[in-house]
């Protein structure tokens, strides 16, 4: 008898893309924990389409999956197919995002706390004119990170200048256009001394713009971001994707085993210093 004959069944995993390192890590770790518990994982990529998301849910139910893990699209409104799973109490866990005012299982990183720590770090270094570069704030992740940014200022009694917030339509973010637009924004706001970006992709584009400004005008702008952009001179907030994945699978198995007690789990994040900052701190101590 083959090993596959012992499978307890299928688990469906729906995610918007496989472009980012975070998404790739989620696939890696979720597959690991699903397999470890005797199930097989099947994956559907929605490419940020709620229609594809709904079709994937329909397909998985026809395949008689035991449960679903869903990394929702960036859309502002909830997908009715996801809401139906919740109403049916079908075993499901949302990762990275959650539904406001709707009782369901979800696992997210501490987005607000992480951004608060990062922006507080910049404020403690004397930066007050801090730019924010973000996709349109349409989901719980960007909303929580924006709240963390604001909270850092409010707790210190410092006024936020939201004219220094550069908000981009997600469909318009690209390697060919975005660095130039960020450069124009930074040149139009010479008072900015530091920038916080909402994700690694925007951090890479901002880094290109900052490099250009530094070479042309000798103006230095400090950059912090959520998630590693793969740049040694950038301090960033690191999510614990392994722990997020482990908790997600545990919550799903709890439902498959017959327990239904919706909860939201927050997984701690960590501020990781750039090589430059680590070297500076070492020299100071």
């Amino acid at each position: 008898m083959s090993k596959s004959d012992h499978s307890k069944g299928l688990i469906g995993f729906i995610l918007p893309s496989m472009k980012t390192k975070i998404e790739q890590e989620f696939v890696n770790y979720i597959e690991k924990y699903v397999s470890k518990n005797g199930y097989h994982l099947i994956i559907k990529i929605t490419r940020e389409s709620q229609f594809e998301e709904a079709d994937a849910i329909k397909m998985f139910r026809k395949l008689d999956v035991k449960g679903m893990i869903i990394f929702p699209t960036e859309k502002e409104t909830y997908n009715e197919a996801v809401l139906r799973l919740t109403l049916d109490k079908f075993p499901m866990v949302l990762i990275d995002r959650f539904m406001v005012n709707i009782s369901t299982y979800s696992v997210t990183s501490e987005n607000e706390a992480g951004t608060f720590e990062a922006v507080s770090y910049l404020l403690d270094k004397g930066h007050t004119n801090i730019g924010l570069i973000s996709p349109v704030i349409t989901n719980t992740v960007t909303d929580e990170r924006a709240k963390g940014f604001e909270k850092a200022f409010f707790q210190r009694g410092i006024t936020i200048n939201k004219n220094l917030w550069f908000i981009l339509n997600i469909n318009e973010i690209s390697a060919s256009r975005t660095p130039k637009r960020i450069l124009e924004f930074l040149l139009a706001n010479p008072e900015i001394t530091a920038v916080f970006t909402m994700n690694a992709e925007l951090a890479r584009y901002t880094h290109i713009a900052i490099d250009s400004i530094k070479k042309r005008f000798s103006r230095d702008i400090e950059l912090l971001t959520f998630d590693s952009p793969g740049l040694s001179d950038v301090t960033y907030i690191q999510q614990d994707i392994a722990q997020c994945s482990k908790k997600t699978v545990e919550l799903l198995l709890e439902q498959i085993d017959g327990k239904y007690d919706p909860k939201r789990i927050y997984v701690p994040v960590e501020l990781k210093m750039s090589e430059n900052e680590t070297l500076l701190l070492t020299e100071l101590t």
Side-chain angles (χ1 to χ4, degrees):
M1 186 178 287
S2 68
K3 187 177 179 181
S4 62
D5 292 332
H6 295 289
S7 172
K8 294 178 182 177
L10 300 172
I11 300 293
F13 184 20
I14 301 170
L15 69 164
S17 81
M18 282 275 285
K19 293 187 296 184
T20 71
K21 186 179 178 184
I22 295 298
E23 289 164 333
Q24 291 160 15
E25 287 185 357
F26 266 123
V27 171
N28 178 44
Y29 285 112
I30 285 175
E31 197 283 330
K32 173 185 174 181
Y33 292 118
V34 164
S35 294
K36 190 176 179 181
N37 284 280
Y39 293 86
H40 288 307
L41 188 71
I42 51 175
I43 298 168
K44 184 73 172 82
I45 297 172
T46 64
R47 293 170 180 82
E48 291 293 358
S49 164
Q50 285 195 337
F51 295 108
E52 291 288 339
E53 193 173 65
D55 282 346
I57 289 169
K58 186 178 178 181
M59 178 188 75
F60 284 165
R61 294 202 78 163
K62 282 184 177 178
L63 290 172
D64 198 27
V65 298
K66 301 298 182 183
M68 295 185 212
I69 296 165
I70 302 176
F71 191 139
T73 67
E74 289 272 6
K75 303 298 181 184
E76 188 171 2
T77 56
Y78 302 139
N79 193 330
E80 287 185 14
V82 178
L83 284 170
R84 173 51 57 189
L85 289 176
T86 301
L87 293 171
D88 290 347
K89 297 185 178 179
F90 186 87
M92 176 193 73
V93 182
L94 299 179
I95 56 170
D96 196 61
R97 294 162 199 155
F98 66 98
M99 292 181 170
V100 180
N101 300 323
I102 294 172
S103 182
T104 190
Y105 283 84
S106 65
V107 176
T108 61
S109 293
E110 289 186 341
N111 293 297
E112 184 175 333
T115 306
F116 171 80
E117 183 181 0
V119 176
S120 296
Y121 171 77
L122 289 174
L123 291 170
D124 289 344
K125 290 182 73 175
H127 297 288
T128 52
N129 291 314
I130 304 172
L132 173 68
I133 298 179
S134 171
V136 175
I137 299 167
T138 58
N139 60 54
T140 52
V141 173
T142 48
D143 181 59
E144 285 185 327
R145 292 177 188 176
K147 285 177 180 174
F149 188 105
E150 293 174 339
K151 185 179 176 183
F153 276 80
F154 294 157
Q155 284 208 356
R156 285 162 176 74
I158 301 170
T159 302
I160 295 179
N161 180 3
K162 289 196 176 179
N163 290 323
L164 305 183
W165 286 27
F166 188 43
I167 309 299
L168 296 144
N169 189 312
I170 191 168
N171 297 320
E172 296 174 355
I173 297 172
S174 68
S176 60
R177 299 175 59 193
T178 306
K180 184 173 184 283
R181 293 189 65 197
I182 293 172
L183 175 62
E184 291 167 352
F185 167 73
L186 293 175
L187 290 174
N189 294 279
E191 67 271 37
I192 291 176
T193 59
V195 172
F196 179 80
T197 57
M198 286 287 201
N199 58 48
E201 181 184 16
L202 289 176
R204 289 190 292 271
Y205 299 154
T206 304
H207 192 266
I208 293 168
I210 288 173
D211 267 358
S212 176
I213 289 172
K214 191 172 184 178
K215 287 172 184 172
R216 289 164 60 187
F217 305 104
S218 298
R219 173 183 161 200
D220 207 7
I221 302 171
E222 186 162 359
L223 174 62
L224 257 74
T225 187
F226 219 101
D227 297 327
S228 171
L231 300 164
S232 62
D233 59 339
V234 176
T235 295
Y236 63 92
I237 302 160
Q238 180 171 282
Q239 300 187 67
D240 189 345
I241 302 302
Q243 187 64 11
C244 285
S245 302
K246 188 171 184 287
K247 289 290 184 186
T248 296
V249 174
E250 286 174 356
L251 291 181
L252 190 65
L253 294 177
E254 174 182 296
Q255 296 171 74
I256 291 170
D257 289 341
K259 183 179 179 183
Y260 189 79
D261 180 22
K263 55 180 71 74
R264 183 171 181 211
I265 303 293
Y266 291 90
V267 177
V269 296
E270 181 182 1
L271 188 65
K272 303 286 283 187
M273 297 296 171
S274 69
E275 288 181 9
N276 293 350
E277 286 296 294
T278 302
L279 184 61
L280 180 62
L281 290 170
T282 302
E283 289 173 350
L284 290 173
T285 55

